[in-house]
Amino acid sequence: MSNIIPFFELNGNRYEIKRTRYLLAEYDKISEENNISDEDKANAVKIQNIIEDVKKYAEKVKELEEKYFETFDDEDERRYLKVKSLYDQKLSDLTELEVKSGSTARLQKESVDLLEKIAIKGLAEQYFNMDMAAAEKLWCAYVDTVQNHNTVVEWLSAMAECLFVDEGEEENPFLSQMRKKREQQSQSRKIIKTK
């Protein structure tokens, strides 16, 4: 869990949304209830795979381009143009799939809607004794003060990362000691077996 607590300020007050068991459960519940079609899910997987290919080809194009511009060798040019052709084709495939399906835009909207619900539930739980209407009013007031829609989307994404993306195990001194003890016992058994 991240040590950063998502917050925003409104009218001189600071509102933090802390990770709680309630928010984790609500996030899981809302995620399961999403309205994403199977077609959009499949397209999202295809798009992500193409994006990975585009990134891979882009790195290789840059590398081969630099080498070709240093040498102007015919073989270096052939390699560069071959990979550039693959890159251009994958980029074209990505654009075509994005335009035809519109899946990415729908997925992004669904994601923003889900995260707004979580932000409102967090505010309701932590500031308004579960009064969703008061929490929604506060959240809408904050959103109205933000001039750029992308800033709100970025804030929501950062909130989700802080609250729901595990950055590895949280260090617990008791568990650390027990793991160390078990590891030492395991090592002792191995030494005894080898003798």
Side-chain angles (χ1 to χ4, degrees):
M1 172 176 29
S2 174
N3 292 329
I4 300 172
I5 297 173
F7 72 93
F8 63 88
E9 294 180 357
L10 184 65
N11 299 327
N13 295 319
R14 179 179 168 126
Y15 297 93
E16 296 180 344
I17 299 178
K18 297 177 180 145
R19 179 180 171 138
T20 63
R21 291 177 69 182
Y22 168 75
L23 278 185
L24 291 172
E26 287 298 306
Y27 180 76
D28 288 343
K29 185 171 102 180
I30 292 171
S31 294
E32 289 174 12
E33 296 171 353
N34 69 39
N35 297 323
I36 301 170
S37 71
D38 289 342
E39 181 182 353
D40 282 344
K41 289 176 187 175
N43 285 334
V45 170
K46 288 177 192 173
I47 288 168
Q48 190 57 44
N49 286 336
I50 294 172
I51 288 171
E52 293 303 316
D53 286 345
V54 167
K55 287 178 184 176
K56 179 177 62 177
Y57 289 138
E59 290 173 14
K60 196 66 174 172
V61 164
K62 184 178 178 184
E63 175 188 317
L64 292 172
E65 180 183 60
E66 288 172 3
K67 185 173 183 181
Y68 170 62
F69 287 161
E70 284 176 11
T71 65
F72 288 102
D73 180 70
D74 289 342
E75 185 60 25
D76 290 339
E77 179 184 25
R78 186 190 66 72
R79 287 187 191 122
Y80 163 68
L81 292 176
K82 176 68 177 171
V83 173
K84 177 83 167 86
S85 172
L86 292 169
Y87 168 79
D88 290 342
Q89 183 58 51
K90 281 295 179 183
L91 194 56
S92 176
D93 293 347
L94 176 62
T95 304
E96 185 179 329
L97 185 56
E98 286 272 8
V99 169
K100 281 185 179 177
S101 73
S103 294
T104 301
R106 282 192 297 277
L107 290 171
Q108 287 174 337
K109 183 186 179 328
E110 185 71 25
S111 177
V112 168
D113 291 349
L114 177 143
L115 293 175
E116 277 195 312
K117 288 177 186 175
I118 292 298
I120 291 165
K121 286 178 180 284
L123 291 169
E125 175 197 25
Q126 296 169 30
Y127 291 96
F128 297 105
N129 199 28
M130 298 309 288
D131 182 347
M132 292 297 175
E136 185 171 359
K137 183 178 177 183
L138 176 70
W139 176 253
C140 289
Y142 168 67
V143 170
D144 289 344
T145 66
V146 178
Q147 299 298 316
N148 184 344
H149 173 72
N150 291 335
T151 302
V152 174
V153 172
E154 183 181 4
W155 190 94
L156 289 166
S157 296
M159 175 199 70
E161 186 176 338
C162 288
L163 298 179
F164 307 115
V165 176
D166 290 329
E167 295 178 352
E169 271 184 46
E170 192 173 320
E171 193 56 37
N172 181 309
F174 166 68
L175 290 177
S176 295
Q177 290 173 5
M178 288 305 295
R179 288 180 189 128
K180 187 175 181 179
K181 181 179 177 182
R182 284 188 209 121
E183 188 177 314
Q184 288 171 346
Q185 289 173 341
S186 176
Q187 292 297 326
S188 294
R189 284 187 212 122
K190 287 178 184 177
I191 292 171
I192 292 171
K193 287 180 182 179
T194 58
K195 288 185 179 181

